[in-house]
Amino acid sequence: MSKTLFDKVWDSHVVRKIEGGPDVFFIDRHFIHEVTSPVAFLGLKSRGLKVLYPERTFATADHNTPTINQHLPVEDPLSANQLKALEDNSNEYGISHWGLGHQKNGIVHVVGPENGITFPGATIVCGDSHTSTHGAFGAIAFGIGTSEVEMVLSTQCIMQPKPKKMRINVNGQLGKGVTPKDVALYIISQLSTSGATGYFVEYAGDVFENMTMEGRMTVCNLSIEMGARGGMIAPDETTFAYLKDKPLSLKGAEWDKAVAYWKTLKTDADATFDKEISFNASDIEPMITYGTNPGMGIGISKHIPKAEQVEGGKATYKKSLDYMGYNENDSMIGKKVDYVFLGSCTNGRIEDFRAFASIVKGKKKADHVTAWLVPGSHEVEAKIKEEGILDIITEAGFSLRQPGCSACLAMNDDKVPAGKYAVSTSNRNFEGRQGPGSRTLLASPLVAAAAAVTGVVTDPRDLI
Amino acid sequence: MAYDKFNILTSTAVPLPLENVDTDQIIPARFLKATKREGFGDNLFRDWRYNSDNSLKEDFVLNNPIYSGKILVGGKNFGSGSSREHAAWAVYDYGFRCVVSSFFADIFKNNCLNIGVLPVQISPEFSEQIFEAIYDDPKTEIEVNLPAQTITILSTGAQESFEINSYKKENMLNGFDDIDYLQNIKGEIESFADGLLL
């Protein structure tokens, strides 16, 4: 029977099917971090259970870590306590732990791929919804709750009904200044924040085939923002070239054997999807959001839609624009920007810093803008220095912080003050996401850079 | 963690007819620093319930004494966003046992089922009827019958059935969680793992 890529990976990980219920689903790789794992370990302890396969779980501290002075003790006692709990639990159960200060430390969805922990055909979970990032490698990867973290620790399985399947095709040539982030924000704006709920997405078409692995990660990362549990892209030579010789990738004959299998991970020509949607690359502009969910995005040259032009409740729409301090039909170009955040599991990789630097090179940061440039990992940080990007951004009046999730969810001190506007390369513009009362405009690293040097929302195509 | 069994729940309900209520509203990230499951109910809808000086926002429904009960009725796409189970814990710890919506985000729904909050998905039309009934009379009782898989507005008799898979239904009726099931088939899981390349 013909199968999709998703079917092939899913079906090969079903330990047992339950009549009228979920599948018992085996997990190859499990990432844990300090925020969603402590209660799972408490559960294990109270039940007297062990970790079944500690070598399949990887711990890194990222959500609740400072992005300056990481060599000093963490000041906030609650945060310090969470970090200690992750370290203690990892040590007690024999789990690899890349804590604060470790050279491999960084955002879980950045360090997993860059170390070769992620691989095609794998099933990957983490107590974090942006686990969908790893789908870029042709893995089934999705976020889980803490109860499920406990299940994976103790049995390496969770219980999941198989989602429906959707394919999103984007073909054609992307225009100047249009990045993978814009492709994703465009798709979400077309489908809405719940348009793919209940589905697992496969991204197909030449736009994704021509993307780098980092671009694919950005796209798959944002799958959750249209409601999908995850999104994936068939592995190809780009995938294999990225993974070859990564520290934890297979080597020699084992690598060759794995690649031979990974090459079979493609949707069969006559396989069918529950839903299939196609877009033209040429319709996509640099994007920016104007509201309080990631579906509220428009091309940067467009005006904010009127209430009657959008689906859904008018009261909810009005509440959202009121929160943002915007009006229907406003132009986004020229809107004041107070903060710029470059980073997160969505756009905290080296290509994102290269893109940012390409715009700010030879210019100066706008005086009133506070900019937080936060690499996704120490490896990204090292490349920023090696490639001379640090010199470019320093010359332009920016400084570099240390790795972590930072202002994406503002659990640490990187909080945007109430009422202030932040152009952010992260993934969510919910009310208060970047600090109580903060207002977030999601965009690509190019749009963020353009805002950082002009101090207002600016079309990056004017600066390229 | 064990939770109370769910059978038939009859209660007044709290209306929250906003769409896309996301997990950052249900529980903001800065309240996720605990290492134990304690105190999350106090921070449910924190920034909608409280001003920055911790005084109550009078216009938010949870601060309106007219509305109370163990059922929360939300708008479309309830629980979108993060995978934080803390959101479901906050709902449960505040005292809700059931969330009703015309559409749920996947991970939130899954988390609810795992911790003993019943997510009841109904049609948009029935959702409107429930909101109307509550606004007409905040003392209106809603009956959520898990064995029969029905939800009824007792004052009008209007009823709709809802879906839940038979495995999860059995778990909710008995207060079981998945980990009990998985522990019992560990041998099968280990044999499966032995056959994997990676």
Side-chain angles (χ1 to χ4, degrees):
Chain A
M1 202 181 111
S2 302
K3 287 187 167 191
T4 67
L5 163 64
F6 175 72
D7 290 326
K8 289 178 186 180
V9 182
W10 183 280
D11 296 350
S12 65
H13 287 83
V14 174
V15 175
R16 176 192 276 204
K17 281 190 169 305
I18 299 171
E19 199 62 40
D23 291 344
V24 175
F25 191 62
F26 189 86
I27 302 303
D28 293 315
R29 294 288 180 269
H30 181 209
F31 294 105
I32 57 173
H33 61 82
E34 72 277 24
V35 176
T36 58
S37 69
V39 172
F41 282 105
L42 280 186
L44 278 190
K45 283 177 191 138
S46 73
R47 293 174 207 261
L49 297 172
K50 292 195 170 68
V51 175
L52 184 60
Y53 296 116
E55 69 278 15
R56 291 181 181 273
T57 292
F58 300 82
T60 186
D62 57 2
H63 277 62
N64 192 8
T65 53
T67 55
I68 49 167
N69 294 327
Q70 288 187 350
H71 62 290
L72 297 177
V74 174
E75 280 178 20
D76 173 15
L78 290 175
S79 303
N81 192 33
Q82 263 191 342
L83 295 170
K84 176 130 190 350
L86 183 71
E87 182 177 3
D88 290 348
N89 287 324
S90 298
N91 289 342
E92 181 175 347
Y93 292 97
I95 293 165
S96 152
H97 173 244
W98 296 342
L100 196 61
H102 192 287
Q103 60 164 354
K104 299 270 195 189
N105 177 257
I107 304 174
V108 55
H109 310 309
V110 176
V111 299
E114 74 188 8
N115 283 286
I117 298 170
T118 304
F119 60 89
T123 53
I124 301 174
V125 294
C126 172
D128 184 279
S129 58
H130 294 106
T131 306
S132 59
T133 310
H134 307 267
F137 293 81
I140 290 180
F142 55 88
I144 58 174
T146 296
S147 294
E148 291 167 307
V149 172
E150 186 184 342
M151 291 175 213
V152 179
L153 289 170
S154 63
T155 69
Q156 207 59 39
C157 287
I158 54 172
M159 306 189 64
Q160 287 285 315
K162 189 175 177 180
K164 289 184 283 184
K165 292 166 284 180
M166 180 188 291
R167 181 158 60 186
I168 298 177
N169 306 288
V170 185
N171 284 293
Q173 191 73 37
L174 292 175
K176 183 172 98 169
V178 178
T179 69
K181 178 66 164 287
D182 302 302
V183 174
L185 286 177
Y186 176 80
I187 295 170
I188 301 164
S189 75
Q190 299 298 304
L191 294 182
S192 91
T193 190
S194 58
T197 302
Y199 293 90
F200 213 97
V201 172
E202 180 179 342
Y203 298 98
D206 48 25
V207 163
F208 304 111
E209 286 165 21
N210 294 333
M211 255 179 210
T212 64
M213 285 317 295
E214 294 197 3
R216 294 178 189 182
M217 284 189 251
T218 299
V219 169
C220 289
N221 171 281
L222 289 163
S223 303
I224 181 73
E225 306 310 337
M226 51 183 160
R229 201 66 187 272
M232 63 201 304
I233 294 172
D236 59 10
E237 292 304 327
T238 305
T239 320
F240 310 143
Y242 177 98
L243 283 176
K244 194 167 170 56
D245 301 324
K246 288 280 185 276
L248 295 172
S249 288
L250 292 172
K251 306 279 184 295
E254 281 191 316
W255 167 263
D256 296 338
K257 188 178 167 192
V259 170
Y261 167 61
W262 295 342
K263 285 181 174 172
T264 69
L265 297 176
K266 289 183 191 331
T267 291
D268 296 331
D270 47 353
T272 56
F273 290 81
D274 299 291
K275 198 169 182 179
E276 182 142 15
I277 304 171
S278 297
F279 299 107
N280 292 321
S282 57
D283 291 340
I284 308 174
E285 269 197 275
M287 297 286 293
I288 194 155
T289 65
Y290 58 88
T292 55
N293 74 57
M296 299 174 82
I298 47 175
I300 197 161
S301 67
K302 305 277 195 317
H303 291 235
I304 294 174
K306 294 180 180 160
E308 63 262 26
Q309 293 171 301
V310 297
E311 283 181 37
K314 306 307 168 213
T316 302
Y317 189 69
K318 184 174 183 311
K319 183 178 187 295
S320 181
L321 291 193
D322 285 350
Y323 181 86
M324 293 301 293
Y326 291 159
N327 299 301
E328 296 173 41
N329 209 33
D330 281 359
S331 166
M332 286 306 291
I333 296 286
K335 290 279 189 201
K336 187 173 178 251
V337 175
D338 307 297
Y339 282 73
V340 167
F341 171 54
L342 173 68
S344 85
C345 59
T346 310
N347 282 122
R349 299 183 179 81
I350 189 62
E351 289 176 10
D352 303 313
F353 281 81
R354 286 180 194 144
F356 189 93
S358 74
I359 297 267
V360 305
K361 187 173 185 177
K363 301 185 183 66
K364 288 287 180 197
K365 182 182 79 65
D367 285 340
H368 71 274
V369 168
T370 301
W372 292 325
L373 278 47
V374 186
S377 69
H378 284 300
E379 187 168 320
V380 174
E381 185 183 23
K383 283 184 187 157
I384 289 169
K385 292 173 182 167
E386 275 164 34
E387 295 185 11
I389 293 171
L390 181 60
D391 299 334
I392 294 170
I393 61 177
T394 305
E395 181 68 21
F398 296 91
S399 58
L400 190 64
R401 298 175 80 89
Q402 290 173 298
C405 297
S406 180
C408 174
L409 82 168
M411 273 193 82
N412 66 1
D413 290 340
D414 306 346
K415 289 179 172 62
V416 175
K420 297 292 184 190
Y421 292 94
V423 172
S424 294
T425 66
S426 50
N427 41 60
R428 288 190 177 131
N429 50 350
F430 298 152
E431 284 183 31
R433 170 78 177 183
Q434 297 196 276
S438 62
R439 292 155 159 171
T440 300
L441 313 179
L442 298 176
S444 74
L446 293 177
V447 173
V453 293
T454 61
V456 294
V457 173
T458 301
D459 191 329
R461 292 171 293 192
D462 297 341
L463 302 179
I464 293 174
Chain B
M1 188 159 150
Y3 54 84
D4 295 336
K5 295 174 186 180
F6 196 110
N7 199 283
I8 298 171
L9 174 67
T10 305
S11 168
T12 51
V14 176
L16 185 61
L18 288 171
E19 295 171 24
N20 305 320
V21 171
D22 61 72
T23 48
D24 276 80
Q25 307 318 313
I26 299 172
I27 184 127
R30 64 187 189 279
F31 299 109
L32 307 183
K33 295 185 180 182
T35 51
K36 293 181 181 154
R37 187 181 150 181
E38 282 173 5
F40 290 105
D42 296 340
N43 294 316
L44 175 69
F45 295 117
R46 179 77 201 191
D47 292 338
W48 287 353
R49 261 165 92 190
Y50 297 95
N51 292 305
S52 52
D53 62 1
N54 289 333
S55 61
L56 292 179
K57 289 187 175 175
E58 302 288 346
D59 57 350
F60 186 59
V61 68
L62 290 190
N63 295 330
N64 186 339
I66 295 172
Y67 301 106
S68 64
K70 295 185 172 181
I71 300 170
L72 176 63
V73 189
K76 186 188 164 205
N77 195 29
F78 194 89
S80 58
S82 146
S83 62
R84 61 187 71 160
E85 195 167 295
H86 312 64
W89 297 340
V91 167
Y92 186 102
D93 294 351
Y94 182 85
F96 292 116
R97 294 300 317 280
C98 174
V99 182
V100 178
S101 168
S102 62
F103 198 84
F104 285 98
D106 269 344
I107 305 181
F108 177 77
K109 186 178 179 182
N110 206 43
N111 285 340
C112 282
L113 285 165
N114 280 337
I115 68 144
V117 172
L118 182 65
V120 172
Q121 187 159 328
I122 55 175
S123 68
E125 296 74 28
F126 196 67
S127 171
E128 284 306 312
Q129 287 184 42
I130 293 179
F131 284 128
E132 271 174 38
I134 301 171
Y135 286 128
D136 280 353
D137 177 10
K139 299 255 180 305
T140 295
E141 287 195 310
I142 311 284
E143 182 199 87
V144 178
N145 186 324
L146 178 58
Q149 293 178 222
T150 57
I151 174 167
T152 310
I153 306 169
L154 292 180
S155 57
T156 64
Q159 187 177 80
E160 200 169 88
S161 55
F162 63 87
E163 301 271 319
I164 181 170
N165 76 53
S166 55
Y167 167 84
K168 279 291 180 192
K169 179 177 174 180
E170 202 61 25
N171 270 5
M172 290 283 290
L173 288 169
N174 294 297
F176 293 159
D177 41 30
D178 288 347
I179 208 156
D180 302 323
Y181 185 99
L182 292 171
Q183 283 300 322
N184 286 330
I185 61 163
K186 223 169 190 171
E188 196 174 326
I189 294 169
E190 286 171 320
S191 313
F192 182 91
D194 289 344
L196 294 170
L197 174 70
L198 270 162

